[in-house]
Amino acid sequence: MTVPALPTAPTTAQIREQFLHFFESKGHLRLASHSTIAPDPTTLFTVAGMQPFKAQFMGAPARFEGAEGIHKRVTTAQKCLRVGDIENVGRTLRHCSLLEMLGNFSFGDYFKRESLTWAWEFLTSPDWMALDPSRLYATIYEDDQEAYDIWTQEIGLPADHILRFGADENFWPADAPLKGPNGPCGPCSEIFYDRGPKYGDDTWAEYADTRESARFLEIWNNVFPQFDRQEPQPDGTPTLAPLPFKNIDTGMGLERIATVVQDVYDFYSNDVFAPIVARVAELSGKPYEGPQSVSHRVVAEHIRSVSMVIADGVQLSNTGRGYTVRKILRRASRHAYLLGLHEPVLHTLVPLVVEAMGSAYPELVQNQARVTAAIRSEEERFLKTLEQGTQRLDTLLSKLEKGAVLSGDEAFTLYDTYGFPVDLTKEIAEEYGIGVDEAGYAESLERAQELARAGSKYGKSELFGGGASVLDDLAPTEFVGYDELDARSRVLAVLAGGESAGHLSAGDEGTVVLDRTPFYAEGGGEVGDIGLLEWPGGEATVRDTTKTKGGVFLHTVAVVRGELKDGDDVRALVDASRQATERHHTATHLLQAALRAVLGEGVHQAGSLVAPDRLRFDFSHAAALSAEELARVELLVNRWIQADSPVNWQTMPIAQARAAGATALFGEKYGDVVRVVTVERGVPFGDHTVTSMELCGGAHVARTGEIGTFVIVSDENVAAGVRRIEALAGEAAVQWTRAQLGGAQRAAALLNTSPEGLTGRIENVQAALKASEKEVVALRRQITQLQMGGGGAAGGAAPLREIGGYRVAALKLSGIEAGELRGAADTLLEQSGADLVVIATDKGLVVKATKDAVARGAHAGQLVGKLAAAAGGKGGGRPDMAQAGIQDADAALGALDSSL
Ligand code: ATP
Ligand code: MG
């Protein structure tokens, strides 16, 4: 398939530019897209253009980096990732997982009239999008007479082009008047474009009931946050107080408007996607045929979103953002597989994504190599799993009779364990003439999902975050652990499984609340303390300490001896590892100050972990640190340690702390009275002195000298603009350094050199190894060719024999790796003119059949099964190609005559 020639309509890039330019001409400041990683830590991804401006919508001064003064009008093209739409991709023609949202925003400046009339001007003016006004429609919120009047009287939209919907459709947040949340909210008006009868014969009036149409496409949502939603009246009447400060928040999907303006069939035929779809068609040999080609669409769309999110710094993983990306990538992999693409190919599409989007999003260009490598390695891993699934499926299917049905449970296991999509299972089973119990599959899936849901209900936070009722009645625990690590306490409550238990016996595990405690509860990045509770005749280990929102400390304990009861007096002993934690905590403060000194005041803490064995510090900074910067930071911290400055803490009103210049965590909520930790003496750096004063509730050493020594172990990127340093203090630092040095010395000894000479020596060894590997491959190829008769006469070393009506060439080979067997079989099939070829070694067996032979009833998979059985192995496969692991080549070949 060739790329369809586009009409002279503007490209996607031009439309993006025109939009931004249009709103600049209306006094808007153009800002760059924020990362797909959400600006606020409570959300995974950016899902709408307004997200980076939450603060301005709430009344914060509209100042922006790189722009002087106040800007109450802003316009952006924001890349968004909508996890909720992933499954829609490919199925509907209007959802992408990654979309670019074109938006114009007003922070207490213009309102509804400008928003709607400008939208109309941009869409219909011959100078801009020049869409036919008679094909535009709008929805409004049922009570929004103001919007109705603007649409009909000022813009001139006919009344029958307008539909009124309730708060479920035309309110943001949806249903806010009745259900909340409290806070800013408002009606919205969505603009639709009629794509014409090609897409359906439904009418706009019918859309009032159906609310789903391929013909009427929503392109632009104009949101009018104008109310402050407050608690409803006792009789349930919603309370919507007018906001003194009204905003505008709009979003238009660039993919949708481009498809409409270019007048192409769907997203996948527009200028961004068409080249990718065309390449998928070319690679798979399957043309893109519009509506039914779900797999082409999924591959083309998903490769774009995965590339972008990885370029933004997300790494594939099993949790959070990394897991979402993995899920999208695997969905794309499956669909590529369904298209018959069984080798990793997705990564080869990355250049097309970069080509289409790189000029607007340079992060794609900068990270192309990393993105490609990440996708490739994930693809390889996933295909391997699929391969294992195929083998399992082949084995299952070869045991069933033609016409039988594979159980839903089996199909689910294949999906759950091997990532094997049920569509694929169906397709392969079909080749065997076997069906799949799809209803049973759906049931197993549902059951698994229910279990997962039930499992998540009993998380730690559910039990204690909301507060089990026993805990609600308890006063906040008095924390004495800044000074004391050994305290006398009284047991106030004993809980097991989240409920009041009264006592715990030897062997029991549970949770204990004390009146006062030296155990630090996890918080501010510092881990919870561990240790012991002792009482006459008994002892319990404390494995972790957390606290409720209400300040009640929860000690997770396991009773070793005796019985622990409500009201008991106990001795509470914090484990000595706390000192190591304190070293790491104070070191974290020194590190933060040193980073700001070396890299600048732009460094802000973005998260931290302080544990006895290490510290981790996340901070805002765009680039990787150079070796020199790392060394300077490390040296500065070590000088500070040697200065042996006292470390003090005191509590004070927050205003006083801020006035004194204490560093606080951005976005963190603090009480009225805060604790401030100060390193008394600063350390010289250039012509000024670096100091440290932070709001912090954590445990610290009394003097910096106690930290001993400090070493940075790694500096890496964790998200766009966020870096992570891991470092060690005290003994942990010494041990790590010794281990590194020891490793280098042992490696050097093996190579007869010194640690300094290692790099040079390794380069030499690698070069030599590469040369030998090349030689081995060439030699092996020669051996195989010799054994196969040199590629000359028909059949070569494997003369054709007639067995069971087929011309068969069979050959025993040695000195060949399992991975090379298939290639050898291909060669033999080509050279010998046989219908079937069999190649055996003492490790493996491969059978290939020509298309023609398969049509006559030959089945490589079944033949392999029989031969392998005779040779102590197992295997199966497709009718044209099958493989098995065996132990005896002669036995396998010997069974040939009786197997066909
Ligand atoms: P839909 O009902 O079609 O899913 P939505 O109500 O979720 O759309 P909004 O949240 O209002 O859409 O987003 C604003 C605009 O962003 C929409 O008008 C549309 O143009 C675009 N948009 C939303 N979701 C997607 C998506 N998954 N892919 C492409 N564009 C989208
Ligand atoms: Mg949606």
Side-chain angles (χ1 to χ4, degrees):
M1 174 167 152
T2 51
V3 185
L6 286 171
T8 49
T11 62
T12 296
Q14 285 165 342
I15 296 172
R16 185 195 297 117
E17 177 56 34
Q18 287 209 315
F19 180 92
L20 297 170
H21 191 65
F22 175 82
F23 281 100
E24 276 176 333
S25 78
K26 306 287 184 199
H28 290 64
L29 173 69
R30 178 201 292 225
L31 290 175
S33 175
H34 187 270
S35 161
T36 52
I37 298 172
D40 48 315
T42 52
T43 342
L44 291 184
F45 294 104
T46 309
V47 296
M50 60 78 66
Q51 224 162 311
F53 308 116
K54 276 192 181 163
Q56 286 75 22
F57 280 127
M58 297 299 289
R63 290 183 190 281
F64 301 96
E65 231 179 275
E68 293 270 300
I70 296 278
H71 295 270
K72 294 183 172 181
R73 302 177 179 191
V74 163
T75 181
T76 59
Q78 172 65 49
K79 46 184 175 170
C80 303
L81 191 90
R82 291 198 163 181
V83 175
D85 282 337
I86 295 172
E87 298 288 324
N88 281 331
V89 174
R91 292 194 201 149
T92 75
L93 291 177
R94 66 175 209 280
H95 290 107
C96 296
S97 58
L98 179 84
L99 65 127
E100 286 184 81
M101 203 182 280
L102 303 171
N104 53 292
F105 308 97
S106 156
F107 311 120
D109 189 23
Y110 66 84
F111 196 51
K112 219 174 276 187
R113 164 166 302 108
E114 292 84 345
S115 172
L116 292 178
T117 50
W118 286 342
W120 184 259
E121 181 186 347
F122 181 71
L123 291 175
T124 60
S125 158
D127 296 335
W128 302 98
M129 294 295 105
L131 292 178
D132 174 359
S134 73
R135 298 176 81 157
L136 290 169
Y137 294 79
T139 63
I140 57 170
Y141 177 54
E142 52 198 0
D143 292 344
D144 194 353
Q145 192 57 34
E146 188 186 358
Y148 184 83
D149 292 342
I150 296 171
W151 274 124
T152 53
Q153 292 165 24
E154 298 184 32
I155 294 174
L157 192 68
D160 61 1
H161 278 222
I162 299 178
L163 287 175
R164 291 173 185 253
F165 286 128
D168 53 337
E169 289 276 353
N170 280 69
F171 216 86
W172 186 90
D175 284 326
L178 285 175
K179 297 185 183 159
N182 289 343
C185 63
C188 64
S189 178
E190 296 177 332
I191 304 174
F192 285 69
Y193 182 79
D194 177 7
R195 308 207 62 205
K198 217 180 358 176
Y199 296 86
D201 51 14
D202 48 332
T203 65
W204 180 244
E206 282 162 13
Y207 187 78
D209 299 321
T210 57
R211 305 208 188 171
E212 186 65 51
S213 170
R215 172 170 177 168
F216 295 95
L217 176 69
E218 178 195 328
I219 52 177
W220 199 342
N221 195 358
N222 286 245
V223 186
F224 316 124
Q226 65 187 98
F227 299 119
D228 178 15
R229 194 261 186 194
Q230 295 161 2
E231 275 314 298
Q233 311 286 327
D235 67 356
T237 319
T239 316
L240 296 176
L243 275 176
F245 175 98
K246 291 178 186 161
N247 300 312
I248 284 295
D249 156 23
T250 89
M252 171 156 67
L254 176 58
E255 294 78 5
R256 292 194 190 177
I257 183 71
T259 305
V260 166
V261 170
Q262 293 174 3
D263 195 23
V264 287
Y265 182 77
D266 57 19
F267 290 154
Y268 305 95
S269 318
N270 76 24
D271 63 317
V272 167
F273 286 114
I276 309 181
V277 169
R279 180 65 59 81
V280 173
E282 184 185 308
L283 289 169
S284 64
K286 300 194 173 138
Y288 179 60
E289 290 171 334
Q292 71 275 30
S293 302
V294 174
S295 295
H296 292 79
R297 293 200 285 270
V298 170
V299 171
E301 199 285 331
H302 284 3
I303 191 66
R304 189 177 76 131
S305 51
V306 165
S307 302
M308 187 66 86
V309 180
I310 297 178
D312 276 344
V314 173
Q315 288 175 352
L316 295 166
S317 74
N318 281 329
T319 53
R321 297 188 183 95
Y323 179 65
T324 303
V325 183
R326 171 165 279 168
K327 213 165 67 178
I328 304 178
L329 188 51
R330 293 196 160 189
R331 188 162 183 260
S333 260
R334 280 178 204 159
H335 280 274
Y337 201 87
L338 279 173
L339 286 170
L341 295 167
H342 294 188
E343 302 291 325
V345 293
L346 298 177
H347 66 279
T348 67
L349 302 173
V350 172
L352 296 174
V353 175
V354 175
E355 172 120 332
M357 312 268 295
S359 58
Y361 298 97
E363 54 273 34
L364 279 172
V365 182
Q366 284 151 17
N367 294 298
Q368 182 170 350
R370 188 169 59 77
V371 169
T372 308
I375 294 179
R376 188 193 177 114
S377 79
E378 176 68 15
E379 272 190 276
E380 280 168 353
R381 194 163 353 155
F382 185 56
L383 284 168
K384 215 170 270 167
T385 323
L386 276 184
E387 195 76 21
Q388 287 164 359
T390 314
Q391 278 173 18
R392 184 187 163 101
L393 183 57
D394 281 330
T395 316
L396 287 171
L397 291 173
S398 52
K399 282 195 209 133
L400 294 173
E401 299 282 320
K402 239 187 178 148
V405 172
L406 185 73
S407 79
D409 262 348
E410 283 293 0
F412 177 72
T413 308
L414 279 161
Y415 167 74
D416 199 36
T417 315
Y418 300 98
F420 223 75
V422 71
D423 292 352
L424 192 60
T425 305
K426 265 167 43 192
E427 204 175 281
I428 297 177
E430 231 163 67
E431 283 180 21
Y432 284 78
I434 288 168
V436 173
D437 174 9
E438 287 186 67
Y441 167 82
E443 252 169 50
S444 300
L445 183 66
E446 173 68 20
R447 214 175 313 131
Q449 284 169 343
E450 229 157 64
L451 277 177
R453 275 194 292 271
S456 71
K457 244 189 257 166
Y458 301 105
K460 194 165 163 183
S461 60
E462 286 283 337
L463 273 179
F464 293 127
S469 58
V470 217
L471 299 173
D472 289 343
D473 302 334
L474 293 172
T477 309
E478 182 195 350
F479 176 61
V480 298
Y482 291 131
D483 316 301
E484 289 177 56
L485 295 182
D486 177 355
R488 302 271 157 195
S489 310
R490 170 156 300 165
V491 176
L492 296 185
V494 177
L495 297 93
E499 290 185 22
S500 189
H503 71 279
L504 292 172
S505 311
D508 288 349
E509 294 179 7
T511 304
V512 171
V513 178
L514 305 172
D515 59 344
R516 58 201 295 275
T517 184
F519 285 88
Y520 183 82
E522 179 191 336
E526 183 174 328
V527 299
D529 276 336
I530 58 171
L532 273 183
L533 298 181
E534 283 178 359
W535 62 96
E539 187 182 285
T541 52
V542 176
R543 294 177 173 170
D544 192 12
T545 311
T546 57
K547 66 180 172 197
T548 67
K549 282 199 194 105
V552 177
F553 282 50
L554 305 170
H555 306 83
T556 308
V557 304
V559 177
V560 182
R561 284 183 302 121
E563 194 182 28
L564 183 62
K565 301 185 302 297
D566 281 355
D568 279 351
D569 287 321
V570 297
R571 183 175 169 198
L573 279 160
V574 176
D575 188 84
S577 63
R578 159 79 92 76
Q579 282 154 6
T581 306
E582 290 176 354
R583 281 188 209 111
H584 283 115
H585 205 150
T586 310
T588 305
H589 287 206
L590 302 185
L591 171 64
Q592 163 149 303
L595 284 168
R596 290 171 69 102
V598 173
L599 303 176
E601 298 292 304
V603 167
H604 292 286
Q605 176 168 349
S608 72
L609 170 75
V610 177
D613 57 341
R614 70 203 162 108
L615 73 87
R616 195 171 75 199
F617 185 71
D618 295 349
F619 58 102
S620 51
H621 189 62
L625 274 64
S626 66
E628 196 211 327
E629 284 168 336
L630 284 173
R632 286 171 80 194
V633 169
E634 198 177 79
L635 187 63
L636 191 56
V637 172
N638 277 300
R639 286 210 181 120
W640 218 339
I641 293 169
Q642 287 155 36
D644 197 26
S645 163
V647 180
N648 298 322
W649 62 265
Q650 59 189 132
T651 51
M652 59 178 80
I654 184 146
Q656 189 186 336
R658 287 198 200 277
T663 315
L665 205 55
F666 178 76
E668 177 84 7
K669 284 212 178 73
Y670 293 98
D672 299 337
V673 175
V674 293
R675 182 169 182 265
V676 176
V677 176
T678 312
V679 180
E680 198 172 279
R681 288 200 300 269
V683 64
F685 179 77
D687 55 5
H688 70 291
T689 303
V690 184
T691 57
S692 165
M693 182 193 263
E694 284 191 40
L695 297 193
C696 174
H700 289 269
V701 297
R703 305 184 69 95
T704 57
E706 288 175 43
I707 300 171
T709 182
F710 171 84
V711 58
I712 294 178
V713 170
S714 64
D715 159 47
E716 60 173 15
N717 190 42
V718 280
V722 180
R723 298 207 67 81
R724 167 170 294 174
I725 281 188
E726 293 218 345
L728 304 172
E731 254 173 55
V734 176
Q735 279 165 2
W736 182 83
T737 312
R738 173 99 315 268
Q740 296 289 308
L741 202 57
Q745 281 165 343
R746 280 192 301 279
L750 283 175
L751 293 169
N752 277 326
T753 178
S754 62
E756 293 75 29
L758 260 181
T759 333
R761 188 58 62 91
I762 288 175
E763 279 164 4
N764 291 343
V765 170
Q766 276 175 335
L769 195 62
K770 230 190 205 148
S772 314
E773 273 168 2
K774 255 196 183 153
E775 216 167 308
V776 168
V777 169
L779 283 172
R780 227 196 256 130
R781 205 170 287 146
Q782 276 179 26
I783 294 175
T784 307
Q785 263 171 20
L786 280 174
Q787 293 181 82
M788 288 173 57
L800 288 183
R801 282 196 287 145
E802 171 97 13
I803 310 176
Y806 300 104
R807 280 167 305 158
V808 180
L811 191 60
K812 177 180 170 182
L813 293 181
S814 53
I816 177 169
E817 295 289 307
E820 296 162 357
L821 268 177
R822 275 199 210 185
D826 284 336
T827 313
L828 186 58
L829 197 61
E830 220 169 76
Q831 288 176 358
S832 64
D835 298 320
L836 273 168
V837 298
V838 181
I839 294 187
T841 71
D842 284 337
K843 286 188 198 143
L845 174 68
V846 62
V847 173
K848 284 206 100 152
T850 59
K851 270 208 181 100
D852 195 39
V854 172
R856 281 162 50 209
H859 196 294
Q862 284 164 9
L863 179 56
V864 155
K866 289 181 197 164
L867 299 183
K874 248 199 209 143
R878 304 196 308 253
D880 61 334
M881 211 293 296
Q883 249 175 316
I886 59 169
Q887 286 160 13
D888 183 347
D890 292 326
L893 294 177
L896 195 51
D897 284 308
S898 57
S899 300
L900 265 172

